[in-house]
Amino acid sequence: SQQGEEDPQALSIQEGENATMNCSYKTSINNLQWYRQNSGRGLVHLILIRSNEREKHSGRLRVTLDTSKKSSSLLITASRAADTASYFCATDESNYQLIWGAGTKLIIKP
Amino acid sequence: NAGVTQTPKFQVLKTGQSMTLQCAQDMNHEYMSWYRQDPGMGLRLIHYSVGAGITDQGEVPNGYNVSRSTTEDFPLRLLSAAPSQTSVYFCASSYSRRGEDTQYFGPGTRLTVL
């Protein structure tokens, strides 16, 4: 059962612009994680936000969590060509299994 | 520190053949898992293990077997390959199965079943 749903499915922006992608989920969660996947590679952890947190920053990344709307957003500021990748959210259910969204494919144009 | 390694990187099988996908980690993680990734879908959990000798089924376990004889290794066996098993397979490990733990992924195995 897929819980996380990313939006948009694909996003193409100019280098230097900000990129925002969203994740929605269906049931209550304890934690939400964001991962990046470069083409042909495994996923790499970016950031975790807990259910009692509303916002978190890590370098050029800003993550927000709205538990009332069951949604999270990932903002990448001042995008670079190296940010071209797919981005996935993962949420945990009470049985400790992570549920993954289908991902947002981000393309940064030079 | 190699992290999570997977072999092979690519594999082509004929329907009905069997094979084992290898996964190893050198971080002394208790929790290991196998996912498949299909176009337009998120990762789907096949099997997981919370420690040596302990395995359990995930969301899509049919057609796959696993074992965990050591902390380091977690092989995935395809018993009789079917075209529906064409996918990219990822092995992941984490310190524990808690939802707050970072998952470390291998580079993946791209499997095609003809």
Side-chain angles (χ1 to χ4, degrees):
Chain A
S1 57
Q2 191 163 319
Q3 172 156 258
E5 299 283 343
E6 279 95 344
D7 167 58
Q9 290 186 332
L11 180 62
S12 181
I13 61 173
Q14 293 292 138
E15 192 167 16
E17 293 181 337
N18 295 341
T20 299
M21 54 207 86
N22 304 296
C23 168
S24 60
Y25 56 92
K26 297 187 178 75
T27 65
S28 62
I29 61 170
N30 297 309
N31 304 280
L32 185 146
Q33 302 186 41
W34 284 93
Y35 286 76
R36 183 189 73 230
Q37 183 182 32
N38 290 93
S39 181
R41 302 287 188 93
L43 282 73
V44 175
H45 180 259
L46 293 176
I47 196 166
L48 171 138
I49 188 164
R50 302 178 194 277
S51 60
N52 62 353
E53 297 176 313
R54 291 296 168 259
E55 188 171 313
K56 209 162 179 182
H57 296 255
S58 176
R60 294 184 296 113
L61 304 180
R62 172 177 168 250
V63 169
T64 60
L65 179 64
D66 187 334
T67 53
S68 67
K69 294 182 179 178
K70 292 185 171 58
S71 68
S72 173
S73 67
L74 171 66
L75 168 67
I76 304 173
T77 60
S79 62
R80 306 168 182 169
D83 295 328
T84 293
S86 292
Y87 292 81
F88 295 87
C89 67
T91 54
D92 62 346
E93 296 181 281
S94 58
N95 62 355
Y96 301 105
Q97 287 192 9
L98 287 179
I99 304 298
W100 299 82
T104 292
K105 187 170 185 177
L106 175 65
I107 297 172
I108 309 298
K109 296 179 288 187
Chain B
N1 225 354
V4 180
T5 58
Q6 289 183 239
T7 56
K9 287 194 174 182
F10 301 93
Q11 183 71 48
V12 179
L13 292 177
K14 294 181 179 177
T15 297
Q17 287 185 315
S18 62
M19 79 159 296
T20 300
L21 280 62
Q22 301 292 343
C23 173
Q25 53 92 7
D26 61 359
M27 296 173 281
N28 203 31
H29 285 166
E30 289 299 320
Y31 185 77
M32 296 186 74
S33 54
W34 276 102
Y35 291 95
R36 59 179 289 171
Q37 184 178 40
D38 300 296
M41 301 184 73
L43 296 176
R44 290 186 292 168
L45 183 64
I46 304 171
H47 284 285
Y48 66 93
S49 170
V50 297
I54 307 169
T55 63
D56 206 346
Q57 296 180 351
E59 181 186 357
V60 288
N62 292 340
Y64 308 94
N65 269 355
V66 293
S67 60
R68 183 102 178 262
S69 56
T70 67
T71 298
E72 295 78 18
D73 299 301
F74 190 44
L76 177 73
R77 282 183 287 278
L78 278 69
L79 308 173
S80 176
S84 61
Q85 293 179 304
T86 293
S87 188
V88 181
Y89 290 85
F90 288 99
C91 179
S93 75
S94 60
Y95 178 73
S96 77
R97 66 182 302 190
R98 293 177 307 171
E100 63 188 18
D101 287 347
T102 296
Q103 300 292 310
Y104 294 86
F105 284 84
T109 294
R110 187 174 294 274
L111 175 69
T112 301
V113 182
L114 302 175

